[in-house]
Amino acid sequence: ASTTDTIILRRAGDTDAVAAAEVLIRSREAALGAIPASVHSDEEIMRWVQTGLIPHCDVWLAESGDRRTLALLVLDEDWIDQLYVRPDAAGLGIGSRLIELAKEQRPDGLQLRTFATNPGSQRFYERHGFVVAEQTEGSANEEKQPDLRYVWLGAPAESALGTLKTGRAHIRLDRPSKKRANSATQLE
């Protein structure tokens, strides 16, 4: 892919499970060091994408003009459950386009978790107006690694306050946050 390629954002269907799982698996492999290794086999992840994510979540794919799947976004209620870009498509703005899509789909606000060992993703989310709302020691995620919960307060707050550029500011939400593990490979 190059910056001149056409990028198509579309909802995933049942027939997209293999391509979606491949993006997740290969992106996680490429990020080892910044994130812990998956605690699940490729086959388990493939089955989870097919039976857990696609039928039960709002799953979006970014594809190149030649229909190659480049990235995956999974929204589950107000959570960005998954956001992965293939390593060979990183740096082309695809992740930013998916964040903008997520904000359009969930204008009242979003939250997500990322590992504390992943400063690249932390900078990415902070550039897009997310702020740290919680730090954990990782007991709730399968990898048992420290993580951060980020929130974006929504279009009305962003409009009223301007895009938050506070970096590591900690905030408190008035709305309850359901307990959620880092779901990068949260399999059921």
PDB file of all heavy atoms in Angstrom, residues 25-46:
ATOM      1  N   ILE A  25      -3.567 -10.971  14.047  1.00  0.00           N
ATOM      2  CA  ILE A  25      -2.443 -11.859  14.391  1.00  0.00           C
ATOM      3  C   ILE A  25      -1.115 -11.260  13.937  1.00  0.00           C
ATOM      4  O   ILE A  25      -0.158 -11.179  14.713  1.00  0.00           O
ATOM      5  CB  ILE A  25      -2.662 -13.258  13.772  1.00  0.00           C
ATOM      6  CG1 ILE A  25      -3.849 -13.963  14.455  1.00  0.00           C
ATOM      7  CG2 ILE A  25      -1.390 -14.097  13.852  1.00  0.00           C
ATOM      8  CD1 ILE A  25      -4.387 -15.171  13.691  1.00  0.00           C
ATOM      9  N   ARG A  26      -1.026 -10.836  12.682  1.00  0.00           N
ATOM     10  CA  ARG A  26       0.245 -10.311  12.145  1.00  0.00           C
ATOM     11  C   ARG A  26       0.636  -8.993  12.794  1.00  0.00           C
ATOM     12  O   ARG A  26       1.817  -8.739  13.036  1.00  0.00           O
ATOM     13  CB  ARG A  26       0.165 -10.151  10.626  1.00  0.00           C
ATOM     14  CG  ARG A  26      -0.091 -11.432   9.864  1.00  0.00           C
ATOM     15  CD  ARG A  26       0.935 -12.538  10.153  1.00  0.00           C
ATOM     16  NE  ARG A  26       0.345 -13.827   9.850  1.00  0.00           N
ATOM     17  CZ  ARG A  26       0.274 -14.858  10.687  1.00  0.00           C
ATOM     18  NH1 ARG A  26       0.778 -14.775  11.886  1.00  0.00           N
ATOM     19  NH2 ARG A  26      -0.295 -15.985  10.333  1.00  0.00           N
ATOM     20  N   SER A  27      -0.349  -8.150  13.087  1.00  0.00           N
ATOM     21  CA  SER A  27      -0.048  -6.871  13.729  1.00  0.00           C
ATOM     22  C   SER A  27       0.472  -7.078  15.143  1.00  0.00           C
ATOM     23  O   SER A  27       1.419  -6.407  15.570  1.00  0.00           O
ATOM     24  CB  SER A  27      -1.296  -5.984  13.749  1.00  0.00           C
ATOM     25  OG  SER A  27      -1.721  -5.712  12.441  1.00  0.00           O
ATOM     26  N   ARG A  28      -0.136  -8.008  15.859  1.00  0.00           N
ATOM     27  CA  ARG A  28       0.347  -8.301  17.221  1.00  0.00           C
ATOM     28  C   ARG A  28       1.758  -8.884  17.177  1.00  0.00           C
ATOM     29  O   ARG A  28       2.600  -8.531  17.991  1.00  0.00           O
ATOM     30  CB  ARG A  28      -0.599  -9.268  17.935  1.00  0.00           C
ATOM     31  CG  ARG A  28      -1.822  -8.564  18.496  1.00  0.00           C
ATOM     32  CD  ARG A  28      -2.542  -9.472  19.463  1.00  0.00           C
ATOM     33  NE  ARG A  28      -1.705  -9.818  20.594  1.00  0.00           N
ATOM     34  CZ  ARG A  28      -1.860  -9.338  21.816  1.00  0.00           C
ATOM     35  NH1 ARG A  28      -2.817  -8.483  22.077  1.00  0.00           N
ATOM     36  NH2 ARG A  28      -1.067  -9.724  22.797  1.00  0.00           N
ATOM     37  N   GLU A  29       2.009  -9.786  16.234  1.00  0.00           N
ATOM     38  CA  GLU A  29       3.359 -10.363  16.102  1.00  0.00           C
ATOM     39  C   GLU A  29       4.386  -9.267  15.856  1.00  0.00           C
ATOM     40  O   GLU A  29       5.470  -9.278  16.436  1.00  0.00           O
ATOM     41  CB  GLU A  29       3.401 -11.376  14.964  1.00  0.00           C
ATOM     42  CG  GLU A  29       2.722 -12.680  15.268  1.00  0.00           C
ATOM     43  CD  GLU A  29       2.641 -13.603  14.051  1.00  0.00           C
ATOM     44  OE1 GLU A  29       2.989 -13.180  12.918  1.00  0.00           O
ATOM     45  OE2 GLU A  29       2.219 -14.757  14.224  1.00  0.00           O
ATOM     46  N   ALA A  30       4.072  -8.330  14.979  1.00  0.00           N
ATOM     47  CA  ALA A  30       5.003  -7.249  14.647  1.00  0.00           C
ATOM     48  C   ALA A  30       5.227  -6.308  15.821  1.00  0.00           C
ATOM     49  O   ALA A  30       6.272  -5.645  15.896  1.00  0.00           O
ATOM     50  CB  ALA A  30       4.493  -6.466  13.438  1.00  0.00           C
ATOM     51  N   ALA A  31       4.275  -6.241  16.740  1.00  0.00           N
ATOM     52  CA  ALA A  31       4.370  -5.318  17.876  1.00  0.00           C
ATOM     53  C   ALA A  31       4.988  -5.957  19.121  1.00  0.00           C
ATOM     54  O   ALA A  31       5.061  -5.312  20.172  1.00  0.00           O
ATOM     55  CB  ALA A  31       2.987  -4.772  18.205  1.00  0.00           C
ATOM     56  N   LEU A  32       5.434  -7.220  19.021  1.00  0.00           N
ATOM     57  CA  LEU A  32       6.037  -7.870  20.191  1.00  0.00           C
ATOM     58  C   LEU A  32       7.167  -7.000  20.723  1.00  0.00           C
ATOM     59  O   LEU A  32       7.972  -6.472  19.973  1.00  0.00           O
ATOM     60  CB  LEU A  32       6.558  -9.262  19.835  1.00  0.00           C
ATOM     61  CG  LEU A  32       5.491 -10.326  19.700  1.00  0.00           C
ATOM     62  CD1 LEU A  32       6.102 -11.658  19.278  1.00  0.00           C
ATOM     63  CD2 LEU A  32       4.707 -10.485  20.986  1.00  0.00           C
ATOM     64  N   GLY A  33       7.191  -6.876  22.012  1.00  0.00           N
ATOM     65  CA  GLY A  33       8.130  -5.978  22.663  1.00  0.00           C
ATOM     66  C   GLY A  33       7.375  -4.771  23.194  1.00  0.00           C
ATOM     67  O   GLY A  33       7.506  -4.409  24.349  1.00  0.00           O
ATOM     68  N   ALA A  34       6.553  -4.172  22.331  1.00  0.00           N
ATOM     69  CA  ALA A  34       5.692  -3.080  22.776  1.00  0.00           C
ATOM     70  C   ALA A  34       4.446  -3.630  23.453  1.00  0.00           C
ATOM     71  O   ALA A  34       3.884  -3.002  24.342  1.00  0.00           O
ATOM     72  CB  ALA A  34       5.295  -2.180  21.610  1.00  0.00           C
ATOM     73  N   ILE A  35       4.014  -4.811  23.013  1.00  0.00           N
ATOM     74  CA  ILE A  35       2.894  -5.498  23.651  1.00  0.00           C
ATOM     75  C   ILE A  35       3.312  -6.932  23.924  1.00  0.00           C
ATOM     76  O   ILE A  35       4.184  -7.466  23.246  1.00  0.00           O
ATOM     77  CB  ILE A  35       1.603  -5.446  22.800  1.00  0.00           C
ATOM     78  CG1 ILE A  35       1.754  -6.217  21.498  1.00  0.00           C
ATOM     79  CG2 ILE A  35       1.182  -4.005  22.530  1.00  0.00           C
ATOM     80  CD1 ILE A  35       0.469  -6.339  20.704  1.00  0.00           C
ATOM     81  N   PRO A  36       2.692  -7.560  24.914  1.00  0.00           N
ATOM     82  CA  PRO A  36       3.047  -8.955  25.199  1.00  0.00           C
ATOM     83  C   PRO A  36       2.543  -9.902  24.109  1.00  0.00           C
ATOM     84  O   PRO A  36       1.632  -9.568  23.354  1.00  0.00           O
ATOM     85  CB  PRO A  36       2.354  -9.237  26.534  1.00  0.00           C
ATOM     86  CG  PRO A  36       1.324  -8.186  26.693  1.00  0.00           C
ATOM     87  CD  PRO A  36       1.722  -7.014  25.854  1.00  0.00           C
ATOM     88  N   ALA A  37       3.137 -11.064  24.066  1.00  0.00           N
ATOM     89  CA  ALA A  37       2.692 -12.098  23.124  1.00  0.00           C
ATOM     90  C   ALA A  37       1.273 -12.511  23.457  1.00  0.00           C
ATOM     91  O   ALA A  37       0.845 -12.474  24.610  1.00  0.00           O
ATOM     92  CB  ALA A  37       3.622 -13.302  23.202  1.00  0.00           C
ATOM     93  N   SER A  38       0.562 -12.934  22.445  1.00  0.00           N
ATOM     94  CA  SER A  38      -0.783 -13.431  22.642  1.00  0.00           C
ATOM     95  C   SER A  38      -0.746 -14.699  23.489  1.00  0.00           C
ATOM     96  O   SER A  38       0.185 -15.497  23.379  1.00  0.00           O
ATOM     97  CB  SER A  38      -1.431 -13.736  21.287  1.00  0.00           C
ATOM     98  OG  SER A  38      -2.708 -14.297  21.483  1.00  0.00           O
ATOM     99  N   VAL A  39      -1.753 -14.865  24.295  1.00  0.00           N
ATOM    100  CA  VAL A  39      -1.851 -16.090  25.100  1.00  0.00           C
ATOM    101  C   VAL A  39      -2.697 -17.141  24.389  1.00  0.00           C
ATOM    102  O   VAL A  39      -2.973 -18.192  24.952  1.00  0.00           O
ATOM    103  CB  VAL A  39      -2.421 -15.799  26.511  1.00  0.00           C
ATOM    104  CG1 VAL A  39      -1.478 -14.889  27.291  1.00  0.00           C
ATOM    105  CG2 VAL A  39      -3.813 -15.207  26.437  1.00  0.00           C
ATOM    106  N   HIS A  40      -3.092 -16.848  23.135  1.00  0.00           N
ATOM    107  CA  HIS A  40      -3.926 -17.756  22.362  1.00  0.00           C
ATOM    108  C   HIS A  40      -3.248 -18.125  21.056  1.00  0.00           C
ATOM    109  O   HIS A  40      -2.495 -17.347  20.483  1.00  0.00           O
ATOM    110  CB  HIS A  40      -5.289 -17.123  22.075  1.00  0.00           C
ATOM    111  CG  HIS A  40      -6.056 -16.837  23.317  1.00  0.00           C
ATOM    112  ND1 HIS A  40      -6.705 -17.813  24.032  1.00  0.00           N
ATOM    113  CD2 HIS A  40      -6.241 -15.685  23.996  1.00  0.00           C
ATOM    114  CE1 HIS A  40      -7.267 -17.273  25.091  1.00  0.00           C
ATOM    115  NE2 HIS A  40      -7.003 -15.987  25.096  1.00  0.00           N
ATOM    116  N   SER A  41      -3.566 -19.308  20.562  1.00  0.00           N
ATOM    117  CA  SER A  41      -3.032 -19.763  19.278  1.00  0.00           C
ATOM    118  C   SER A  41      -3.715 -18.991  18.145  1.00  0.00           C
ATOM    119  O   SER A  41      -4.794 -18.416  18.318  1.00  0.00           O
ATOM    120  CB  SER A  41      -3.285 -21.265  19.095  1.00  0.00           C
ATOM    121  OG  SER A  41      -4.677 -21.498  18.898  1.00  0.00           O
ATOM    122  N   ASP A  42      -3.098 -19.030  16.978  1.00  0.00           N
ATOM    123  CA  ASP A  42      -3.698 -18.402  15.799  1.00  0.00           C
ATOM    124  C   ASP A  42      -5.079 -18.997  15.523  1.00  0.00           C
ATOM    125  O   ASP A  42      -6.010 -18.281  15.158  1.00  0.00           O
ATOM    126  CB  ASP A  42      -2.809 -18.577  14.569  1.00  0.00           C
ATOM    127  CG  ASP A  42      -1.516 -17.770  14.650  1.00  0.00           C
ATOM    128  OD1 ASP A  42      -1.299 -17.050  15.651  1.00  0.00           O
ATOM    129  OD2 ASP A  42      -0.722 -17.874  13.696  1.00  0.00           O
ATOM    130  N   GLU A  43      -5.224 -20.291  15.707  1.00  0.00           N
ATOM    131  CA  GLU A  43      -6.504 -20.948  15.460  1.00  0.00           C
ATOM    132  C   GLU A  43      -7.574 -20.460  16.432  1.00  0.00           C
ATOM    133  O   GLU A  43      -8.729 -20.259  16.043  1.00  0.00           O
ATOM    134  CB  GLU A  43      -6.361 -22.478  15.560  1.00  0.00           C
ATOM    135  CG  GLU A  43      -5.501 -23.090  14.475  1.00  0.00           C
ATOM    136  CD  GLU A  43      -3.989 -22.880  14.696  1.00  0.00           C
ATOM    137  OE1 GLU A  43      -3.534 -22.717  15.862  1.00  0.00           O
ATOM    138  OE2 GLU A  43      -3.256 -22.851  13.696  1.00  0.00           O
ATOM    139  N   GLU A  44      -7.208 -20.288  17.694  1.00  0.00           N
ATOM    140  CA  GLU A  44      -8.163 -19.772  18.674  1.00  0.00           C
ATOM    141  C   GLU A  44      -8.591 -18.349  18.318  1.00  0.00           C
ATOM    142  O   GLU A  44      -9.778 -18.008  18.423  1.00  0.00           O
ATOM    143  CB  GLU A  44      -7.556 -19.794  20.079  1.00  0.00           C
ATOM    144  CG  GLU A  44      -7.386 -21.171  20.665  1.00  0.00           C
ATOM    145  CD  GLU A  44      -6.599 -21.155  21.957  1.00  0.00           C
ATOM    146  OE1 GLU A  44      -5.602 -20.396  22.069  1.00  0.00           O
ATOM    147  OE2 GLU A  44      -6.981 -21.914  22.862  1.00  0.00           O
ATOM    148  N   ILE A  45      -7.642 -17.536  17.900  1.00  0.00           N
ATOM    149  CA  ILE A  45      -7.966 -16.161  17.510  1.00  0.00           C
ATOM    150  C   ILE A  45      -8.868 -16.160  16.291  1.00  0.00           C
ATOM    151  O   ILE A  45      -9.867 -15.421  16.242  1.00  0.00           O
ATOM    152  CB  ILE A  45      -6.675 -15.346  17.263  1.00  0.00           C
ATOM    153  CG1 ILE A  45      -5.910 -15.186  18.584  1.00  0.00           C
ATOM    154  CG2 ILE A  45      -6.994 -13.987  16.636  1.00  0.00           C
ATOM    155  CD1 ILE A  45      -4.512 -14.627  18.426  1.00  0.00           C
ATOM    156  N   MET A  46      -8.561 -16.990  15.320  1.00  0.00           N
ATOM    157  CA  MET A  46      -9.381 -17.087  14.110  1.00  0.00           C
ATOM    158  C   MET A  46     -10.821 -17.456  14.480  1.00  0.00           C
ATOM    159  O   MET A  46     -11.784 -16.834  13.995  1.00  0.00           O
ATOM    160  CB  MET A  46      -8.784 -18.135  13.175  1.00  0.00           C
ATOM    161  CG  MET A  46      -9.403 -18.195  11.826  1.00  0.00           C
ATOM    162  SD  MET A  46      -8.802 -16.918  10.707  1.00  0.00           S
ATOM    163  CE  MET A  46      -7.077 -17.315  10.592  1.00  0.00           C
TER     164      MET A  46
END
